[in-house]
Amino acid sequence: EVQLLESGGGLVQYGGSLRLSCAASGFTFSNYVMSWVRQAPGKGLEWVSGISGTGGSTYYADSVTGRFTISRDNSKNTLYLQMSSLRAEDTAVYYCAAYRAYRMDVWGQGTTVSVSS
Amino acid sequence: DIQMTQSPSTLSASIADRVTITCRASQSISYWLAWFQQKPGKAPKLLIYRASGLESGVPSRFSGSGSGTEFTLTISSLQPDDFATYYCQQYDNYPWTFGQGTKVEIK
């Protein structure tokens, strides 16, 4: 079964750091671009970051550039998002998604990040 | 960054209604547009990719059209399971961007 499972969310103080993980199974992880997408409470979807299959290319939304770092370990079939200098506006459910055959067709269930001031 | 604008923001409709949601891009994105459905507390679900490709397992009452800067999602006959929020998303250029969403409510 094709599956993504996020972990690592939690409550963190303003200015703190957190690392999210996304474990993939059921498909050839290293072949595909992966993304992080978030959703603040009561708000819409926001694409946060993406990474190529090899990890050689990374992309970020303006809102997180310089604070978040996306990476992957293809030997462990795992995607990461290192978040630092966290702000209240980073409070959200964070989803990982796989971009396969020209679409983001596989999504995890999400992990919740809460930043307290 | 490419801005995606959906209309309307909220739509009230009845069962069996034909429903159309529009998504406009601030610059041409060719056909690199997807539509997602999201229900409360759930992850988004892909409906349409590359503007008009129907994702496997998605009912044929959903269809997408358009290219360049203007796109539509049509539900030909609204069913009870379709009451949800719908998002368009461009993936022509990084950063990828979503529309603000359209909530389809029961009339």
Side-chain angles (χ1 to χ4, degrees), chain B residues 20-88:
Chain B
T20 298
I21 300 169
T22 297
C23 179
R24 289 186 173 87
S26 60
Q27 65 187 69
S28 177
I29 57 170
S30 185
Y31 48 72
W32 296 107
L33 183 103
W35 290 96
F36 295 90
Q37 177 193 68
Q38 189 182 34
K39 296 181 179 180
K42 300 295 187 181
K45 174 187 175 183
L46 177 68
L47 301 175
I48 301 289
Y49 63 96
R50 278 201 295 188
S52 60
L54 186 67
E55 176 65 358
S56 176
V58 174
S60 58
R61 63 181 180 272
F62 291 93
S63 64
S65 64
S67 66
T69 62
E70 189 151 338
F71 303 85
T72 59
L73 173 71
T74 299
I75 309 173
S76 60
S77 177
L78 197 66
Q79 299 302 301
D81 191 48
D82 301 338
F83 292 98
T85 300
Y86 294 83
Y87 295 92
C88 63

Side-chain angles (χ1 to χ4, degrees), chain A residues 39 59 62 95 102-103 108, chain B residues 1 38 42-43 55 91 94:
Chain A
Q39 187 168 38
Y59 310 91
D62 294 344
Y95 298 99
Y102 306 112
R103 66 254 214 198
Chain B
D1 299 1
Q38 189 182 34
K42 300 295 187 181
E55 176 65 358
Y91 51 113
Y94 284 108

Side-chain angles (χ1 to χ4, degrees), chain A residues 51-97:
Chain A
I51 187 168
S52 63
T54 63
S57 296
T58 57
Y59 310 91
Y60 299 93
D62 294 344
S63 58
V64 305
T65 295
R67 300 187 300 122
F68 289 12
T69 301
I70 191 171
S71 62
R72 64 194 298 160
D73 185 337
N74 287 342
S75 69
K76 296 182 178 178
N77 289 344
T78 302
L79 175 73
Y80 302 101
L81 186 67
Q82 178 69 47
M83 304 185 295
S84 61
S85 302
L86 283 162
R87 309 165 178 168
E89 54 265 38
D90 297 318
T91 294
V93 175
Y94 285 74
Y95 298 99
C96 61

